[in-house]
Amino acid sequence: LSIYTEKVAPDHYIIAINRFYLASSAAMLGQTERALAALRSIHAEGKLTLEAMESENFVNLRGNPEFDALTEEVRQTPER
């Protein structure tokens, strides 16, 4: 699963990957706010991709207005 739009320093890669897995786990456990916070954090750094947002890990969040708005924001963000 590609989460990044560019190569970054290894330490940043690990941090963003960990937040992605945190978001995925939280979403699957029904912890919507925690999942959204992690996804927003990754997106704020410009590291979140549409492919990541479309992951089956986030099926529980689809239809949530905040998740859908974030997905659209990611869709509109030019690749770096």
Side-chain angles (χ1 to χ4, degrees):
L1 176 62
S2 172
I3 300 170
Y4 302 96
T5 57
E6 66 182 274
K7 293 282 184 184
V8 296
D11 58 333
H12 290 109
Y13 178 81
I14 291 167
I15 290 167
I17 281 274
N18 287 339
R19 281 184 299 190
F20 176 77
Y21 288 125
L22 170 68
S24 296
S25 298
M28 290 186 274
L29 291 170
Q31 299 173 357
T32 302
E33 285 308 313
R34 189 173 193 180
L36 289 169
L39 290 169
R40 283 192 291 263
S41 175
I42 299 167
H43 181 54
E45 293 179 2
K47 309 298 180 208
L48 192 58
T49 65
L50 187 57
E51 181 182 1
M53 294 298 286
E54 292 175 343
S55 167
E56 288 302 310
N57 297 345
F58 301 117
V59 70
N60 294 341
L61 298 180
R62 293 192 186 118
N64 175 293
E66 288 182 58
F67 179 79
D68 292 344
L70 182 58
T71 301
E72 187 57 33
E73 225 177 281
V74 170
R75 181 176 283 114
Q76 299 300 321
T77 301
E79 287 190 35
R80 294 180 178 187

